[in-house]
Amino acid sequence: MTSRIPRDSRLRLVRPRPLAAAPRAVGQRRSRRPAPRPPEGTPAPAELARTARAGLAGPVRVARWADTELRPDRDRRGRPPGTGTTPDGGGTLSDITAERAATDLGLTVSQVRADWDTARLAGLVEVHGDYARPGWRLRAWDRDDSAVLRGWVALFDAWSLAHPEPAGPQPAAVAEVVEAMPQLLSFLQLSAGPVPVPQLLDLLEQRVKELRTERCEIPYGPQPEPTAPDDAALPELLDWALHALAAVGALTCAEGQATLTPLGSWAVWVKLEQICVAAQSPVGNIEQSADGMLRGCAGLRPNAARAEYRAWLAARTVGSAVTELLDAARGEDALLRGLAFEALRVVGAPAEAEVRQIMDEPSLRPYALLWLAEMEGVDPEDIHAVLTRDEATWLWVDTAAAVSDHGDAELLVRHLESAVQPTVPALLVEVRRVGHPRTVQVLVALAAAHPDPALAKAVRRAAFQVHTGGA
């Protein structure tokens, strides 16, 4: 077979790369919206990160202690067994573990538990079932300011969980105050200075009334007597909310006034920008599932597609968005697989834990390896080295399947140049060995598209052998 292949069938040795966008890109106007800038006077990100590191020093210390002391191999290194070396149900610390941490760190048990809970809310510790493990933010804490700021914003979002609510008010009243607080925070941010608490209380009462009006519905059938709104609890709940936000470092309360800290003002601005980004979806796929959004991006140029990914992500929590994208990547459409990982590149480091969990899935492993290598800063010229020969070949077939389904013949022929094998015969041997489910269709499409009769014949013969199981 080899002697029949002409010299021009030798392939260039280049790194494999999944399809980044659809072959038939459609010209898109670039967004005219300039890159947003925080309000004047906002400290630089490095300074904000220093403030966040200082505020979270205690939770980081406890998380690092847990990373060292709660590893499964600790008992095999001399520590007596049965000393509570793993967190118990829900990722909370067992009594014996909390006491060990308090002794080792010179803290009280209550301080350890408070710092542990804060570490979980900030993503320094990730809970998986009944166990916890260090989060990616803890690994990047000293070197990555963006990881620190993301962790602090996660804690800011969870302010109502970081500080116990008062016992007296009805749960419905507590929920109303939590739902109303973003408007009060926006008012504080726009005020750019101290705001009297009575003024905030007036605004809270007004916002709660609006929320009740928005939810007003007339139910069918007999209903129990409605419960009177717990308006008398609003001053107490506002005090709780302000102190909870102060506890996470978002504002200060003194002399009957509340003021956002620079970190809190920046976080509110970030939230407002996320709403703006979500409202300015270039193509309008925000409400679509991940599958639908990716299909909607299939005809966009890379910059326009990334803008759409950002808008779609801004309308969702990171965890749910990553789960949806990985589910889309598991489907049969190879193009969506490649696009899903392009969207995950926009997510960045917060998706690392979930991407690492799919390493055992053959269809996703090559994409995951390249994604992780990029996150770790591997030189683009060396990134192909993270894949084995079989993984690179599998990725080549998967990308060829995407080209075959969504591209044109010329692009499929050009795709030959991205194979790691130096010759077509070598490529065909390895393609048959890796057993990609679309191998036959890819080879048939390539044989039909290639202008060289001898090469097309060899590819067609390989497709027949794969189809029949021949040697």
Side-chain angles (χ1 to χ4, degrees):
M1 180 193 295
T2 305
S3 60
R4 292 188 177 187
I5 305 299
R7 290 183 179 178
D8 61 3
S9 68
R10 294 184 64 81
L11 308 179
R12 290 189 293 119
L13 185 63
V14 297
R15 73 180 180 93
R17 182 174 179 82
L19 198 63
R24 293 175 180 172
V26 178
Q28 297 290 326
R29 293 183 179 180
R30 292 190 176 186
S31 172
R32 295 182 179 180
R33 187 172 187 261
R37 294 183 178 181
E40 186 176 353
T42 301
E47 184 176 344
L48 291 170
R50 281 196 296 272
T51 303
R53 283 189 178 96
L56 290 172
V60 167
R61 187 182 178 204
V62 171
R64 285 178 171 158
W65 176 89
D67 184 22
T68 302
E69 297 296 323
L70 303 188
R71 292 179 180 177
D73 62 343
R74 288 292 294 175
D75 287 345
R76 295 194 296 270
R77 291 186 289 176
R79 186 178 294 275
T83 53
T85 55
T86 57
D88 60 14
T92 58
L93 291 178
S94 64
D95 291 341
I96 196 166
T97 304
E99 291 171 1
R100 276 182 49 206
T103 300
D104 290 350
L105 299 175
L107 302 172
T108 65
V109 171
S110 60
Q111 286 175 324
V112 168
R113 291 194 180 280
D115 284 342
W116 176 262
D117 290 340
T118 300
R120 292 170 58 194
L121 293 175
L124 299 167
V125 175
E126 297 175 352
V127 177
H128 299 267
D130 289 343
Y131 295 92
R133 68 187 185 194
W136 69 271
R137 290 183 183 127
L138 184 63
R139 302 294 190 214
W141 195 255
D142 291 331
R143 58 179 170 79
D144 189 343
D145 288 346
S146 66
V148 175
L149 292 175
R150 284 176 184 270
W152 189 87
V153 170
L155 179 62
F156 170 75
D157 287 340
W159 65 266
S160 61
L161 303 177
H163 193 69
E165 64 193 58
Q170 301 170 3
V174 176
E176 287 175 339
V177 170
V178 173
E179 190 174 356
M181 283 307 295
Q183 183 166 327
L184 272 68
L185 290 169
S186 298
F187 181 75
L188 282 165
Q189 202 261 351
L190 292 171
S191 299
V195 175
V197 171
Q199 188 175 355
L200 292 176
L201 181 59
D202 289 342
L203 182 59
L204 175 63
E205 292 172 344
Q206 178 183 339
R207 180 56 182 154
V208 167
K209 289 179 182 178
E210 292 173 352
L211 292 172
R212 291 171 182 166
T213 301
E214 293 170 1
R215 289 195 300 267
C216 183
E217 297 178 354
I218 302 177
Y220 291 99
Q223 300 292 322
E225 289 295 324
T227 303
D230 195 6
D231 289 341
L234 289 182
E236 180 185 4
L237 289 174
L238 175 61
D239 183 70
W240 160 69
L242 294 177
H243 282 86
L245 286 161
V248 301
L251 53 78
T252 58
C253 292
E255 300 179 355
Q257 295 181 320
T259 309
L260 284 178
T261 64
L263 201 55
S265 179
W266 170 81
V268 174
W269 172 80
V270 167
K271 295 299 174 183
L272 293 173
E273 277 301 309
Q274 288 178 348
I275 294 172
C276 292
V277 169
Q280 296 189 15
S281 166
V283 184
N285 288 309
I286 288 178
E287 297 181 0
Q288 298 286 332
S289 65
D291 271 45
M293 182 273 295
L294 294 172
R295 292 185 192 280
C297 294
L300 302 180
R301 293 187 182 277
N303 285 344
R306 281 191 289 271
E308 191 71 3
Y309 301 151
R310 283 192 291 269
W312 186 85
L313 292 166
R316 289 158 178 79
T317 62
V318 172
S320 65
V322 172
T323 298
E324 276 198 62
L325 290 170
L326 290 177
D327 286 343
R330 292 184 177 97
E332 296 182 357
D333 193 330
L335 176 62
L336 295 193
R337 196 157 23 252
L339 293 176
F341 276 85
E342 289 300 315
L344 288 169
R345 286 178 173 85
V346 175
V347 177
E352 181 178 349
E354 288 80 0
V355 172
R356 289 191 183 279
Q357 290 177 2
I358 64 171
M359 297 288 282
D360 293 334
E361 299 182 39
S363 64
L364 302 184
R365 180 176 172 82
Y367 292 92
L369 286 169
L370 292 178
W371 188 93
L372 289 167
E374 291 182 15
M375 290 298 105
E376 293 167 1
V378 175
D379 192 310
E381 295 299 321
D382 300 327
I383 204 168
H384 67 279
V386 304
L387 302 181
T388 65
R389 187 69 162 247
D390 283 355
E391 288 165 349
T393 302
W394 198 101
L395 181 60
W396 185 91
V397 179
D398 205 49
T399 305
V403 177
S404 176
D405 290 343
H406 300 275
D408 53 35
E410 182 181 355
L411 186 59
L412 184 59
V413 172
R414 291 207 308 269
H415 182 57
L416 273 174
E417 297 181 354
S418 67
V420 296
Q421 293 77 10
T423 65
V424 170
L427 170 66
L428 296 178
V429 169
E430 296 188 22
V431 163
R432 291 167 57 188
R433 186 179 69 243
V434 298
H436 191 288
R438 296 291 303 280
T439 298
V440 173
Q441 295 93 326
V442 164
L443 293 180
V444 169
L446 183 58
H450 206 284
D452 187 301
L455 188 146
K457 182 178 180 180
V459 173
R460 194 176 297 109
R461 183 185 300 112
F464 177 78
Q465 292 171 341
V466 174
H467 178 62
T468 60

